[in-house]
Amino acid sequence: MSRMNMIQAINSALDNMLERDPNVLIFGEDVGYFGGVFRCTAGLQEKYGVKRCFDTPIAEGGILGMAIGMGANGLRPVAEIQFADYIYPAFDQLVSEAARLRYRSAGEFWAPITVRSPCGGGIYGGQTHSQSPEGIFTHVSGLKTVMPSNPYDAKGLLISCIEDDDPVLFFEPKRIYNGPFDGYHDRALQPWTQHPMGEVPDDYYSIPLGKANIVRPGSDVTVICYGTMVHVCETAVKETGVDGEIIDLRTMLPLDLDCIVASVQKTGRCVIVHEATRTSGFGAELIAEIQEHCFYHLEAPPIRVTGWDTPYPHAFEWEYFPGPKRVGEALTRVMEDA
Amino acid sequence: MSRMNMIQAINSALDNMLERDPNVLIFGEDVGYFGGVFRCTAGLQEKYGVKRCFDTPIAEGGILGMAIGMGANGLRPVAEIQFADYIYPAFDQLVSEAARLRYRSAGEFWAPITVRSPCGGGIYGGQTHSQSPEGIFTHVSGLKTVMPSNPYDAKGLLISCIEDDDPVLFFEPKRIYNGPFDGYHDRALQPWTQHPMGEVPDDYYSIPLGKANIVRPGSDVTVICYGTMVHVCETAVKETGVDGEIIDLRTMLPLDLDCIVASVQKTGRCVIVHEATRTSGFGAELIAEIQEHCFYHLEAPPIRVTGWDTPYPHAFEWEYFPGPKRVGEALTRVMEDA
Amino acid sequence: MADETLRLHLPEPTTRPGMDPDASMIKVPPAGTLPKPPLDEPDDKMWDYALGMVRVLDDDHGAVGDWDPKLDADTLRKGLTYMMRTRAFDDRMLRQQRQGKTSFYMKCTGEEACGVAQAMALRPDDMLFPSYRQQSMLVARDWPLVDLMCQIFNNPKDRLQGKQLPVLYSVKGANFFSISGNLGTQFPQAVGWAMASAYKNDSKIAAAWVGEGTTAEGDFHHALTFAAVYQAPVVLNVTNNQYAISSFSGIAGGEQSTFAARALGYGLPGIRVDGNDFLAVYAVTKWAADRARSNNGPTLIELYTYRAAAHSTSDDPSGYRPKDEFTVWPLGDPIDRLKQHLIKLGEWSEEQHEALHQELEDEVKRDLKEAASHGTLGVRPCSPSTMFDDVFKELPPHLRRQRQEAGV
Amino acid sequence: MADETLRLHLPEPTTRPGMDPDASMIKVPPAGTLPKPPLDEPDDKMWDYALGMVRVLDDDHGAVGDWDPKLDADTLRKGLTYMMRTRAFDDRMLRQQRQGKTSFYMKCTGEEACGVAQAMALRPDDMLFPSYRQQSMLVARDWPLVDLMCQIFNNPKDRLQGKQLPVLYSVKGANFFSISGNLGTQFPQAVGWAMASAYKNDSKIAAAWVGEGTTAEGDFHHALTFAAVYQAPVVLNVTNNQYAISSFSGIAGGEQSTFAARALGYGLPGIRVDGNDFLAVYAVTKWAADRARSNNGPTLIELYTYRAAAHSTSDDPSGYRPKDEFTVWPLGDPIDRLKQHLIKLGEWSEEQHEALHQELEDEVKRDLKEAASHGTLGVRPCSPSTMFDDVFKELPPHLRRQRQEAGV
Ligand SMILES: Cc1ncc(C[n+]2csc(CCOP(=O)(O)OP(=O)(O)O)c2C)c(N)n1
Ligand SMILES: Cc1ncc(C[n+]2csc(CCOP(=O)(O)OP(=O)(O)O)c2C)c(N)n1
Ligand SMILES: [Mg+2]
Ligand SMILES: [Mg+2]
């Protein structure tokens, strides 16, 4: 057991899997010798050799095309896309190929690839280093979508992704790489070493995909979130005193609907928080499912707190970011409603 | 005034715009001499010359990259992507470039491009000639998304798209190119000549983006749909006798929320129908908005009738397609609820 | 510069429907002129191969030059048989589509030498990443036609459970990768597959195909870049059949250079080969495969041929090219050329040819009867509930709920 | 083949941190050896240009050979001044980032000749589609540094209203296209822009830049394909500064060929030029621009140079390359080389150089003071409500509602 931040936990997951399974390969832009621009693959090339962890040309479509071919030939490639904003050049390989290969061949071929990519804003990254595209991928049948909110989960979920025989997108909220960001950029960041979920086994373990985590039980309102927003929601619950039951989805697809439905049926109220743009974001899907399964339990309209429907503006990222104040207002409002 | 099918109406819109505005250019795979695999550009090269209407290499990303550059240099390019399923190779140019150019340059540059693309299934096209990706684009800030349901609208909306100074996706439901498909593939297709909306002026006219159309007023339940599904919903309303108010969105983004809210507040019930896969489809967004704005008017949970979360299976497309039977069941169920 | 007015160039073919067909712009070098280089020839010594054309069969049906693979007569007859079986299959299936027995079909008429000779030059366990016009490779790998027909009919013997469009086969048993409806996507995948093979110190190589039209896709560039960077053991092929649906090859960049030449910029050898010359295709493919297998790196092959039939059953070429263009095509018919060569060798005769033709017709008819006995278009391949299978390895809860809702 | 074991090749640089820097693998041809071809030279006559290197300044700082653009001393001094101003600007802005006055900065140290000479060889109304390392072009177009600094500070004088990351300028007034954070995307856009220019029978051409690392993106291939097919009046440039963040050029395919050579396969001329030789860059760019402007088609230029500084302020190159690698770089420093040339011509002196250096330092300091007086990192460029502007031309209802919800 060690104290790890998210970067170290991800590195540890990759390390364990490289060690356990000779078919695991790691690659992406700058991930080899250099160890990745966020250092998630640091030391792995030195430890396992250049054939197990290497740099690729700058062509996200090529990276995933190659990964799919490797996956179809028995390997378990783990590709890094340097920023989630740069997944789009690989969109066709993901959507038309990785996601469809098993189906169109009726199970003859498949590609067990994992795509890791840092997402989210709050690091002054501007509009092309801050996006949260997870919602888009949940609309594509054949892909799994995962986003951890802490080092312990990050490691356990990433190992599950690598072992999964379906293509999985593993989004890493870069704002919490180093600590559980409470949503206040003007306060000092608490390091993961001071957080219970920063306690991470060095050895292999896994957390199943498709299982949400109730981070904080509560009875007033269900707060559904994932990634960075888990910590923002915790702050908001603390600040407002509203007894929120905070659900960290961990996996968006497959979704742990049972957990959500049980909670909302209990609380009758719901606030959904994500950093991605609002329109057609994953929050919409959650509301659609909630009203289908909890309609008669709802005492107030569920509220979405999300990024605005604009690119992430460099100078106004804290006006864009759905921080504790906005979440808190939603919590207060959802309690006043009805 | 002529009788036109959708193909002819689209062709007429392009013809009018080529004539009115020398900056309008039309291109895409096989659109030039040949006139397009669905014949939407037939005769235009002959009439306006190869410089106004021409073939492109098979590279959707290149087509839209070129279009954006032309748009930034004062032209109004209308690009055809042969099937909506093949938009994905151009995803980055659409999402990171066309949609973001005006924003990132604070209005210095923009690209007034129109992307036409046939979408939807029901023509035995299998999983790569049947998709309805419109929902994805509504999550991307900076893009407008349009889908007509009849020849008259197709022409008027397409002209608005071409004249619009923002990038617009114009999806053409190929199942209704030749007639208002009622959802029964085993019955004869009624031609557009027998439908009032097949009556189309030869001259220029436009229909504003962002305005929905109440195709059929009703008091029992609001039925929200677009494209092919408008006709399927009409069939279902007829068959069930439920007094559905059918709203044809025409534009998904910007959305005519006022029209939707007024209707749902009146009926208290709602069925949403689209052909795209369900999870995180545009139906989810509609439900999220409806519960936000009509929560206290809702008498039953809104129901989504959609394509399943699978690729479009060639042999089972009629099991996949959300036909009148499934819509009818939803209408009945939504009336029974509560 | 006196005139500073910029002008936009739009490529146009020399002929259109209603005009006399014309092939005068096609330069065909004589057979046997290019020598066969060693497997480790530096790529900058190979430009003549990218811009010229490797040809073995001469105008008198003899085999000439360094590239002659010196195949024995049995092998040649086998190749001929595969080509003729492919054509018989294509003709028969086209008719099935016309009769409404399938929704769709795509012929490879005129391109049979490419697929058959390449399949024979590769090893059976080399992995093929084919396009939709590579049925001849399955024929040459002795895959039962009945199985392909059942896929086309989407009947209960369709191994793909009706999930795929007709002809978009997936035949793992023949090391033939699932064909994608999306053009070009398989090109970088083949590179990745080959890299995995090299990573595992295996001896299997990969081969992939795109049409000349498809070379414009970014995937083509990704494949060549990654193949060059990692020296992947892969044979990358461009079937230049002159057309991409209605677009002549100039729309893909064929006016400025050959498609084999694309390789040059990556420091890879590119070889253009007479795609209607069975011997040349075999020899060039074997050379590229040997090169890959001996860790000398990837090769790009341009198979210069002609799409004699329509693009697909949804297409009518009389709308965009002279009807009789095939008759002036300078490289002839691949089946006829191999037949004449065998006859010249004294290893074949018109009578044998006619007999074989009849035999294959009968065989295909028999196969068709068997396949059709399991049902044609409209029959249910299996329970609609299978529609929800294979989206994921295991059915997730939301698909279970949807399956229930579908009542299937 | 005795050994049939496939092996995976992984490109590796010859040196890493802690090792002695090494440039022995870089072959630098002597200056003045390649003749200057006519504008309509067929591309297959131009392979030597893609594989060799156009150089004008020789080791004794003289200008030699056919490519010497014979610029007058004033022009040369102007070029030198632009380069020095760029470097002064870069140095100053780096310090601003270190002092927390901006979140981000990117230097172009070592690459000043590329941007300045190219900007001077093009016409002011030619449209530039730059990458993020092209600030020298704005300097050479006399765009006020204060304006750029205000963008970097996202202060109230930032014309981009704080919407963009520092250095991702948009300067329509200088015909400098909005820089994208996404690599390569602007390459096909430049082709489209140029096609529009040709369509309108205008005389303005376009030029675009990517780094050698970015050549791997599909957009690069799309640009070359479309440029070739439509013979677009565009100059496409690859700045090969040897690195893509931490990756040496071999990861982009530099082991197998040059980046200029990529053009060959498309039937386009590719020219590699000594990117640290002001005269050579000017001459080659002028040639390519003249070619485009006279309807002779597009050209691909590889600017062979060295990224002397870190990738950006987020990067530390000591983690992946020898610290003193720049000292062994065979093509030297572009500013020093032009300075020495001018001195050799008797048109410049060490004293004048030092005086100019001081003058530019002072000027940049003054500019900085002015820019900073409007605020630095943390200041609000304008009302946050502007965050909702320019998503669309007009604010749609949903953004109006969101703006209201945001309370801004
Ligand atoms: C990404 C993508 N874009 C467009 C299409 C539609 N399409 C199918 S075949 C074809 C022409 C392909 O031409 P070519 O590559 O020359 O292959 P050929 O048919 O001649 O064998 C086109 C445009 C597609 N299937 N996928
Ligand atoms: C599509 C995309 N992928 C990845 C990145 C991240 N990234 C930014 S700069 C860079 C390296 C670019 O190297 P090169 O093209 O050689 O340009 P240079 O920085 O050397 O000028 C990378 C990988 C990006 N901005 N966009
Ligand atoms: Mg073709
Ligand atoms: Mg570089």
Side-chain angles (χ1 to χ4, degrees):
Chain A
M1 195 70 96
S2 299
R3 298 246 160 225
M4 296 188 196
N5 63 26
M6 291 261 285
I7 294 166
Q8 293 161 328
I10 287 162
N11 188 278
S12 172
L14 297 172
D15 190 354
N16 288 172
M17 290 308 295
L18 281 166
E19 171 132 29
R20 285 170 74 94
D21 185 350
N23 290 324
V24 170
L25 241 65
I26 289 164
F27 48 80
E29 297 158 15
D30 303 294
V31 311
Y33 184 91
F34 186 55
V37 294
F38 289 104
R39 326 294 312 133
C40 289
T41 56
L44 298 177
Q45 181 177 93
E46 199 178 4
K47 187 162 174 191
Y48 295 97
V50 67
K51 288 199 167 56
R52 304 288 307 277
C53 177
F54 57 87
D55 290 334
T56 60
I58 303 173
E60 292 74 11
I63 295 171
L64 295 195
M66 172 179 79
I68 292 167
M70 287 176 160
N73 197 356
L75 304 186
R76 291 197 177 274
V78 185
E80 175 178 310
I81 300 295
Q82 205 164 75
F83 287 87
D85 318 61
Y86 305 137
I87 284 186
Y88 306 134
F91 201 70
D92 193 45
Q93 283 289 345
L94 270 172
V95 168
S96 304
E97 295 295 318
R100 302 291 151 79
L101 181 55
R102 186 190 292 279
Y103 196 80
R104 71 171 198 245
S105 69
E108 273 202 342
F109 296 98
W110 65 91
I113 67 171
T114 301
V115 180
R116 294 178 39 242
S117 197
C119 71
I123 58 147
Y124 258 128
Q127 53 190 277
T128 54
H129 304 88
S130 303
Q131 294 172 46
S132 297
E134 71 281 357
I136 290 178
F137 297 100
T138 62
H139 187 46
V140 175
S141 46
L143 296 177
K144 294 181 177 172
T145 308
V146 177
M147 197 189 296
S149 70
N150 61 69
Y152 182 85
D153 283 6
K155 175 167 176 178
L157 288 167
L158 179 53
I159 286 178
S160 288
C161 293
I162 298 173
E163 291 183 328
D164 200 281
D165 280 336
D166 292 311
V168 193
L169 287 149
F170 183 83
F171 288 107
E172 304 169 1
K174 62 178 96 71
R175 192 58 180 83
I176 55 171
Y177 267 150
N178 290 305
F181 180 57
D182 64 5
Y184 289 98
H185 66 283
D186 40 11
R187 297 186 193 159
L189 185 71
Q190 188 201 349
W192 280 114
T193 44
Q194 286 163 32
H195 192 283
M197 301 303 273
E199 195 65 27
V200 179
D202 294 302
D203 288 343
Y204 169 97
Y205 67 93
S206 66
I207 296 175
L209 304 187
K211 289 274 160 270
N213 184 29
I214 299 180
V215 172
R216 179 197 187 281
S219 54
D220 284 351
V221 46
T222 302
V223 183
I224 309 179
C225 51
Y226 49 84
T228 304
M229 290 304 134
V230 172
H231 309 284
V232 172
C233 291
E234 285 190 287
T235 310
V237 162
K238 236 175 275 161
E239 287 178 352
T240 54
V242 173
D243 189 20
E245 173 147 300
I246 303 178
I247 299 179
D248 175 0
L249 287 183
R250 299 200 289 202
T251 306
M252 273 127 273
L253 201 131
L255 180 67
D256 190 350
L257 188 62
D258 292 345
C259 172
I260 294 169
V261 168
S263 177
V264 177
Q265 289 190 347
K266 177 177 78 177
T267 61
R269 292 167 203 270
C270 181
V271 168
I272 291 163
V273 187
H274 61 59
E275 203 179 334
T277 52
R278 177 173 302 179
T279 299
S280 296
F282 195 62
E285 175 60 25
L286 290 169
I287 290 181
E289 287 292 308
I290 286 167
Q291 64 78 37
E292 180 176 343
H293 296 281
C294 314
F295 184 80
Y296 300 103
H297 294 82
L298 282 178
E299 290 168 38
I303 298 180
R304 287 188 279 182
V305 185
T306 68
W308 310 118
D309 283 339
T310 76
Y312 224 108
H314 184 258
F316 294 114
E317 66 176 12
W318 298 113
E319 281 78 8
Y320 182 94
F321 186 88
K325 187 164 155 285
R326 279 173 61 201
V327 177
E329 281 165 11
L331 289 173
T332 312
R333 183 149 56 87
V334 85
M335 292 311 298
E336 283 163 2
D337 270 340
Chain B
M1 197 69 97
S2 298
R3 298 247 159 224
M4 296 188 196
N5 63 24
M6 290 260 288
I7 294 165
Q8 293 160 327
I10 288 162
N11 189 279
S12 173
L14 297 172
D15 189 356
N16 287 172
M17 289 308 296
L18 282 166
E19 171 131 30
R20 286 169 74 95
D21 184 351
N23 290 324
V24 170
L25 241 65
I26 288 164
F27 47 80
E29 296 158 16
D30 302 293
V31 312
Y33 184 91
F34 186 54
V37 294
F38 288 104
R39 326 296 311 133
C40 289
T41 56
L44 298 176
Q45 180 176 94
E46 199 178 4
K47 188 164 174 190
Y48 295 97
V50 67
K51 289 197 166 59
R52 304 289 306 278
C53 177
F54 57 86
D55 290 334
T56 61
I58 303 173
E60 292 75 11
I63 295 170
L64 295 195
M66 171 179 79
I68 292 167
M70 288 174 160
N73 196 357
L75 304 187
R76 291 197 176 275
V78 185
E80 175 176 310
I81 299 293
Q82 204 163 76
F83 287 87
D85 318 59
Y86 305 137
I87 284 187
Y88 306 134
F91 201 71
D92 192 46
Q93 284 288 344
L94 270 173
V95 168
S96 305
E97 295 295 317
R100 301 291 148 80
L101 181 54
R102 186 190 291 279
Y103 196 81
R104 70 172 199 242
S105 69
E108 273 201 342
F109 295 98
W110 66 91
I113 68 171
T114 301
V115 181
R116 292 179 41 242
S117 196
C119 71
I123 59 148
Y124 258 129
Q127 52 189 279
T128 53
H129 304 88
S130 302
Q131 295 172 45
S132 297
E134 69 281 357
I136 291 179
F137 297 101
T138 62
H139 186 47
V140 176
S141 46
L143 296 177
K144 294 180 176 172
T145 308
V146 176
M147 196 188 296
S149 70
N150 61 69
Y152 181 86
D153 284 5
K155 176 168 177 178
L157 289 167
L158 179 53
I159 286 178
S160 288
C161 293
I162 298 173
E163 292 184 327
D164 200 282
D165 280 336
D166 293 310
V168 193
L169 287 149
F170 183 81
F171 288 108
E172 304 169 1
K174 62 180 96 72
R175 192 58 181 84
I176 56 170
Y177 267 150
N178 290 306
F181 179 58
D182 64 6
Y184 289 98
H185 66 284
D186 40 10
R187 297 186 193 159
L189 185 71
Q190 188 200 351
W192 280 114
T193 44
Q194 285 163 33
H195 192 282
M197 301 304 273
E199 202 50 41
V200 179
D202 294 302
D203 289 343
Y204 169 96
Y205 66 94
S206 65
I207 296 175
L209 305 187
K211 289 275 159 271
N213 184 28
I214 299 180
V215 173
R216 180 197 187 280
S219 54
D220 283 351
V221 46
T222 302
V223 184
I224 310 180
C225 50
Y226 48 85
T228 304
M229 290 305 134
V230 172
H231 308 284
V232 172
C233 291
E234 286 188 285
T235 310
V237 162
K238 236 175 275 161
E239 288 179 352
T240 55
V242 174
D243 189 20
E245 174 147 298
I246 302 178
I247 299 180
D248 175 0
L249 288 182
R250 300 203 287 204
T251 305
M252 274 126 271
L253 201 132
L255 181 66
D256 190 350
L257 188 62
D258 292 346
C259 172
I260 294 169
V261 168
S263 177
V264 177
Q265 289 191 345
K266 177 178 78 177
T267 62
R269 294 167 202 269
C270 181
V271 168
I272 291 163
V273 188
H274 61 59
E275 203 179 334
T277 52
R278 176 172 303 179
T279 298
S280 296
F282 195 62
E285 175 60 25
L286 290 170
I287 290 181
E289 287 292 307
I290 286 167
Q291 64 77 35
E292 179 175 344
H293 296 280
C294 313
F295 185 80
Y296 300 103
H297 294 82
L298 281 177
E299 290 168 38
I303 297 179
R304 288 189 279 182
V305 186
T306 68
W308 309 118
D309 283 339
T310 76
Y312 225 107
H314 184 257
F316 294 113
E317 65 176 13
W318 298 113
E319 282 78 7
Y320 182 93
F321 187 89
K325 188 163 154 284
R326 279 173 60 200
V327 177
E329 281 165 10
L331 290 173
T332 311
R333 183 148 55 88
V334 83
M335 292 310 299
E336 283 163 3
D337 273 339
Chain C
M1 279 167 287
D3 176 16
E4 282 223 340
T5 305
L6 294 172
R7 288 181 301 273
L8 186 60
H9 171 77
L10 278 307
E12 293 256 40
T14 51
T15 53
R16 286 295 193 187
M19 298 165 75
D20 281 339
D22 173 26
S24 60
M25 65 295 177
I26 301 175
K27 279 172 215 69
V28 179
T33 45
L34 284 165
K36 189 170 169 182
L39 294 180
D40 58 354
E41 183 83 338
D43 67 279
D44 56 353
K45 295 260 149 56
M46 290 207 57
W47 293 352
D48 289 345
Y49 297 86
L51 302 178
M53 198 184 289
V54 173
R55 304 183 69 222
V56 171
L57 287 172
D58 68 14
D59 294 348
D60 299 329
H61 311 299
V64 296
D66 219 10
W67 282 95
D68 178 5
K70 308 232 156 59
L71 298 173
D72 61 38
D74 278 347
T75 305
L76 293 179
R77 276 188 295 262
K78 206 166 166 186
L80 184 68
T81 307
Y82 287 141
M83 291 201 280
M84 290 170 69
R85 181 177 289 131
T86 302
R87 193 166 290 181
F89 172 56
D90 271 2
D91 289 342
R92 190 62 58 174
M93 295 320 289
L94 178 76
R95 268 185 274 165
Q96 296 304 297
Q97 195 276 340
R98 295 290 182 247
Q99 292 168 21
K101 302 262 172 68
T102 172
S103 60
F104 186 73
Y105 192 70
M106 298 183 98
K107 297 176 82 176
C108 68
T109 312
E111 305 176 30
E112 292 91 346
C114 303
V116 171
Q118 293 207 283
M120 289 174 72
L122 293 162
R123 294 193 188 157
D125 57 358
D126 289 337
M127 190 71 184
L128 314 179
F129 289 77
S131 89
Y132 44 69
R133 226 180 284 284
Q134 244 75 40
Q135 54 265 49
S136 55
M137 303 198 86
L138 283 168
V139 172
R141 283 195 168 175
D142 293 314
W143 194 255
L145 296 190
V146 174
D147 182 72
L148 305 183
M149 291 166 172
C150 291
Q151 196 281 323
I152 292 165
F153 292 145
N154 283 170
N155 70 24
K157 295 275 179 188
D158 172 11
R159 289 179 297 99
L160 306 187
Q161 303 184 310
K163 287 188 161 84
Q164 238 328 6
L165 204 63
V167 318
L168 298 186
Y169 312 115
S170 175
V171 190
K172 192 165 198 167
N175 294 306
F176 183 99
F177 198 68
S178 154
I179 301 171
S180 179
N182 300 59
L183 295 170
T185 44
Q186 73 279 16
F187 234 47
Q189 294 168 12
V191 174
W193 198 99
M195 287 174 67
S197 202
Y199 169 79
K200 296 191 277 186
N201 301 128
D202 203 337
S203 67
K204 300 186 201 97
I205 65 168
W209 288 263
V210 291
E212 90 294 342
T214 304
T215 59
E217 290 283 7
D219 287 312
F220 176 80
H221 175 60
H222 298 153
L224 283 159
T225 302
F226 282 66
V229 168
Y230 303 111
Q231 292 291 298
V234 65
V235 181
L236 297 169
N237 302 280
V238 176
T239 309
N240 178 3
N241 62 5
Q242 314 304 323
Y243 286 93
I245 308 185
S246 76
S247 300
F248 86 118
S249 64
I251 299 294
E255 279 186 343
Q256 283 77 29
S257 195
T258 70
F259 295 95
R262 293 281 193 277
L264 303 180
Y266 304 89
L268 298 180
I271 307 186
R272 201 156 70 127
V273 59
D274 177 346
N276 291 12
D277 175 340
F278 182 92
L279 296 178
V281 172
Y282 183 97
V284 165
T285 307
K286 183 77 174 43
W287 184 87
D290 288 347
R291 218 178 96 82
R293 218 179 304 275
S294 55
N295 291 300
N296 280 295
T299 305
L300 181 70
I301 299 174
E302 173 181 350
L303 301 141
Y304 196 78
T305 181
Y306 185 85
R307 196 197 77 207
H311 171 71
S312 74
T313 49
S314 312
D315 175 51
D316 175 8
S318 72
Y320 51 81
R321 68 182 185 189
K323 237 198 182 84
D324 44 358
E325 196 178 60
F326 184 51
T327 59
V328 304
W329 175 245
L331 298 178
D333 178 78
I335 294 181
D336 192 55
R337 283 173 71 191
L338 185 55
K339 168 188 156 192
Q340 299 298 347
H341 176 58
L342 272 164
I343 290 175
K344 185 182 174 113
L345 291 178
E347 295 282 356
W348 198 239
S349 69
E350 290 288 356
E351 296 67 42
Q352 280 172 295
H353 195 80
E354 188 43 46
L356 177 60
H357 177 77
Q358 203 45 59
E359 186 186 318
L360 291 169
E361 290 279 310
D362 293 347
E363 175 201 300
V364 170
K365 221 185 286 178
R366 262 195 322 273
D367 286 348
L368 180 63
K369 209 168 154 192
E370 180 184 339
S373 77
H374 302 295
T376 58
L377 180 64
V379 75
R380 275 166 187 260
C382 46
S383 156
S385 72
T386 57
M387 175 166 80
F388 295 95
D389 298 341
D390 296 319
V391 181
F392 297 99
K393 187 177 184 189
E394 275 148 30
L395 197 70
H398 71 289
L399 284 179
R400 192 177 304 276
R401 285 194 302 275
Q402 291 185 17
R403 188 173 68 184
Q404 205 168 333
E405 189 183 330
V408 289
Chain D
M1 279 167 288
D3 177 17
E4 282 225 340
T5 306
L6 294 172
R7 289 182 300 274
L8 186 59
H9 170 77
L10 278 308
E12 293 256 41
T14 52
T15 53
R16 284 295 193 187
M19 298 166 73
D20 281 339
D22 173 28
S24 60
M25 66 295 179
I26 301 175
K27 278 171 216 69
V28 179
T33 44
L34 284 165
K36 190 171 168 181
L39 295 180
D40 58 353
E41 185 82 339
D43 67 279
D44 57 352
K45 295 260 148 57
M46 289 207 57
W47 293 351
D48 289 344
Y49 297 86
L51 301 178
M53 197 185 290
V54 173
R55 305 183 69 222
V56 171
L57 287 172
D58 67 14
D59 294 348
D60 299 327
H61 310 299
V64 295
D66 218 11
W67 282 95
D68 178 5
K70 307 233 154 58
L71 298 172
D72 62 38
D74 280 347
T75 305
L76 294 178
R77 276 188 295 263
K78 206 166 165 187
L80 184 68
T81 308
Y82 286 142
M83 290 201 281
M84 290 169 68
R85 181 176 289 131
T86 302
R87 193 166 290 183
F89 172 55
D90 271 1
D91 289 342
R92 189 63 58 172
M93 294 320 290
L94 179 76
R95 268 185 276 166
Q96 297 304 298
Q97 195 276 341
R98 295 291 181 246
Q99 292 168 20
K101 302 263 172 66
T102 172
S103 59
F104 186 73
Y105 192 71
M106 298 183 99
K107 296 175 83 177
C108 69
T109 312
E111 304 176 32
E112 293 91 345
C114 303
V116 171
Q118 293 207 285
M120 289 174 73
L122 293 163
R123 293 193 189 158
D125 58 358
D126 290 336
M127 190 73 186
L128 314 179
F129 289 78
S131 88
Y132 44 69
R133 227 180 281 285
Q134 243 76 39
Q135 55 263 50
S136 55
M137 304 198 85
L138 283 168
V139 172
R141 284 195 167 176
D142 293 314
W143 194 255
L145 295 189
V146 173
D147 183 72
L148 305 183
M149 291 167 172
C150 291
Q151 196 281 322
I152 291 166
F153 292 145
N154 282 170
N155 70 24
K157 295 276 179 187
D158 172 11
R159 290 179 297 99
L160 306 186
Q161 304 184 310
K163 287 187 160 86
Q164 239 327 6
L165 204 63
V167 318
L168 297 186
Y169 313 115
S170 176
V171 190
K172 193 166 197 165
N175 294 307
F176 184 98
F177 198 68
S178 155
I179 300 172
S180 179
N182 301 61
L183 295 169
T185 43
Q186 73 278 17
F187 234 47
Q189 294 169 11
V191 174
W193 198 98
M195 287 174 67
S197 201
Y199 169 78
K200 296 191 276 186
N201 301 128
D202 203 337
S203 66
K204 302 185 200 98
I205 65 168
W209 287 264
V210 290
E212 90 293 342
T214 304
T215 59
E217 290 283 6
D219 288 312
F220 176 80
H221 176 61
H222 298 153
L224 283 159
T225 302
F226 282 66
V229 168
Y230 302 110
Q231 293 290 298
V234 65
V235 181
L236 297 168
N237 302 279
V238 177
T239 309
N240 177 4
N241 62 6
Q242 315 303 324
Y243 286 94
I245 308 186
S246 76
S247 301
F248 86 119
S249 65
I251 298 294
E255 278 185 346
Q256 284 77 28
S257 194
T258 70
F259 295 94
R262 293 280 193 277
L264 303 180
Y266 303 89
L268 298 180
I271 307 187
R272 201 156 71 125
V273 60
D274 177 346
N276 291 10
D277 176 340
F278 182 91
L279 297 178
V281 173
Y282 184 96
V284 165
T285 307
K286 183 76 173 43
W287 184 87
D290 287 348
R291 219 178 94 83
R293 220 181 302 278
S294 55
N295 291 300
N296 281 295
T299 306
L300 181 70
I301 299 175
E302 173 181 349
L303 301 141
Y304 196 78
T305 182
Y306 184 85
R307 196 197 76 206
H311 171 70
S312 75
T313 49
S314 313
D315 175 50
D316 175 9
S318 72
Y320 51 82
R321 68 182 184 189
K323 237 198 183 85
D324 44 358
E325 195 179 61
F326 184 51
T327 59
V328 304
W329 176 246
L331 297 178
D333 178 78
I335 293 182
D336 192 57
R337 284 172 72 190
L338 185 54
K339 168 188 156 193
Q340 299 299 346
H341 177 58
L342 273 162
I343 290 175
K344 184 183 174 112
L345 293 178
E347 295 282 357
W348 197 240
S349 69
E350 288 289 355
E351 296 67 41
Q352 281 172 297
H353 195 81
E354 187 41 45
L356 177 61
H357 177 76
Q358 203 45 60
E359 186 188 317
L360 291 168
E361 289 279 310
D362 292 347
E363 176 201 301
V364 169
K365 219 185 286 179
R366 263 195 323 273
D367 285 349
L368 180 63
K369 208 167 156 193
E370 180 184 338
S373 77
H374 302 296
T376 59
L377 180 65
V379 76
R380 273 166 190 261
C382 46
S383 157
S385 72
T386 57
M387 177 165 78
F388 295 94
D389 298 341
D390 296 319
V391 180
F392 296 99
K393 187 176 183 190
E394 275 148 28
L395 198 70
H398 69 289
L399 284 180
R400 193 177 304 276
R401 284 194 302 275
Q402 292 185 15
R403 188 173 69 183
Q404 205 170 332
E405 190 183 329
V408 290

